[in-house]
Amino acid sequence: MLSKKTKYGLKALTYISRTKSDSPVQVSTISKSEQIPQKFLESILLTLRKAGILGSKKGKHGGYYLRHEPSEIKMTDVMRVLEGPIAMVPCVSLNYYEKCDDCPDENKCSVHRLMIQVRDNTLSVFRNTTLEDLSNE
Amino acid sequence: MLSKKTKYGLKALTYISRTKSDSPVQVSTISKSEQIPQKFLESILLTLRKAGILGSKKGKHGGYYLRHEPSEIKMTDVMRVLEGPIAMVPCVSLNYYEKCDDCPDENKCSVHRLMIQVRDNTLSVFRNTTLEDLSNE
DNA sequence: GTAATCCCTAGTAAATTGATAGGATTAATG
DNA sequence: CATTAATCCTATCAATTTACTAGGGATTAC
């Protein structure tokens, strides 16, 4: 299941991306428009900022803005920040690999081989989708 | 993340499928061989039996067996029983569809459209993989 | 200097996960 | 028929994760 954190994060990014304005977008604005609890959203946008995806401006008339063009923000990056590893098991994770305690030989593990296929398919979707794609329509 | 329940379930099914014997396979045998807590495994195999994937024989020399040929047991069915919906959000689930509270128009929702792609890709893997595939090698 | 904004740390209730406990039921076997 | 070995069933539980909320600190525009 996709966490609400990820869902809210994606919606917020989409919102900011669609807002074609020079001034940064405020948390309260996004919160109201997308029906996201404000304090929760605050913490999510903070995470995205710390990951380098968003930038922020403090104080009055402050807010958040994209650090790069929407077409250059890949879903692989966004998903890893918000949801964590893309793989369903650590033993097939590219970025967070971990050996299974039980499994003596990964190549002979049926679960391993199945999950590699799922990972590759999911990865290809996220690699080929940018924030620009999400923001269209 | 794949739950341990699903992981254990898949490993157990693979084990049973590889055991080419007429007599049913006992929980304790699988438990030892695959390093799965016995009581936990018991409950998992019970679930698979109730879903019609496994059959069981009670009493001495009892155990579990496959109800169909490995080549006819699709991962879509197994995964739905063990892990639940394949979709990452209810609003793109084929079997467990649910509308989002917030989302006024699904076709315009960026998360919705992205998650449909992920679902379709994952689904194609599970549809094209049977227990026989898992059991080879 | 005041209002509006992000920044940061804590805490917390509810749900889920990954088990464990204990026994009831059923069947094979001597 | 008694014993043993299996599944079946219900209940419980600790740890973790999720989805928030609270409360204030720091910064900036005006």
Side-chain angles (χ1 to χ4, degrees), chain B residues 59-114:
Chain B
K60 203 167 185 176
H61 299 170
Y64 289 94
Y65 54 89
L66 299 175
R67 288 277 296 275
H68 310 93
E69 289 301 306
S71 61
E72 300 194 342
I73 299 175
K74 284 202 284 274
M75 280 309 111
T76 37
D77 299 325
V78 177
M79 291 300 292
R80 285 200 178 104
V81 168
L82 294 171
E83 191 75 4
I86 288 163
M88 293 186 82
V89 275
C91 73
V92 303
S93 174
L94 299 177
N95 291 259
Y96 306 85
Y97 174 83
E98 245 178 86
K99 196 180 177 327
C100 298
D101 295 339
D102 38 332
C103 207
D105 183 357
E106 282 178 2
N107 300 319
K108 286 182 184 160
C109 175
S110 56
V111 178
H112 183 82
R113 283 179 284 131
L114 179 64

Side-chain angles (χ1 to χ4, degrees), chain B residues 7-137:
Chain B
K7 188 184 172 189
Y8 293 161
L10 288 172
K11 285 192 155 192
L13 285 173
T14 306
Y15 186 93
I16 296 172
S17 166
R18 279 174 179 162
T19 303
K20 302 192 187 328
S21 148
D22 287 343
S23 48
V25 185
Q26 287 136 31
V27 176
S28 62
T29 310
I30 306 173
S31 161
K32 275 169 208 148
S33 168
E34 301 293 322
Q35 316 227 55
I36 303 169
Q38 179 157 346
K39 276 290 192 178
F40 193 20
L41 182 56
E42 241 180 60
S43 73
I44 296 167
L45 298 189
L46 214 48
T47 307
L48 287 166
R49 197 217 62 188
K50 284 180 181 164
I53 292 171
L54 289 176
S56 69
K57 197 186 160 202
K58 284 190 195 174
K60 203 167 185 176
H61 299 170
Y64 289 94
Y65 54 89
L66 299 175
R67 288 277 296 275
H68 310 93
E69 289 301 306
S71 61
E72 300 194 342
I73 299 175
K74 284 202 284 274
M75 280 309 111
T76 37
D77 299 325
V78 177
M79 291 300 292
R80 285 200 178 104
V81 168
L82 294 171
E83 191 75 4
I86 288 163
M88 293 186 82
V89 275
C91 73
V92 303
S93 174
L94 299 177
N95 291 259
Y96 306 85
Y97 174 83
E98 245 178 86
K99 196 180 177 327
C100 298
D101 295 339
D102 38 332
C103 207
D105 183 357
E106 282 178 2
N107 300 319
K108 286 182 184 160
C109 175
S110 56
V111 178
H112 183 82
R113 283 179 284 131
L114 179 64
M115 290 304 141
I116 280 191
Q117 285 187 67
V118 175
R119 181 205 65 192
D120 285 344
N121 275 271
T122 307
L123 218 40
S124 82
V125 173
F126 291 154
R127 278 191 178 135
N128 292 312
T129 308
T130 69
L131 186 54
E132 188 181 34
D133 300 319
L134 291 204
S135 308
N136 289 337
E137 180 121 339

Side-chain angles (χ1 to χ4, degrees), chain A residues 3 11 55:
Chain A
S3 65
K11 284 190 155 194

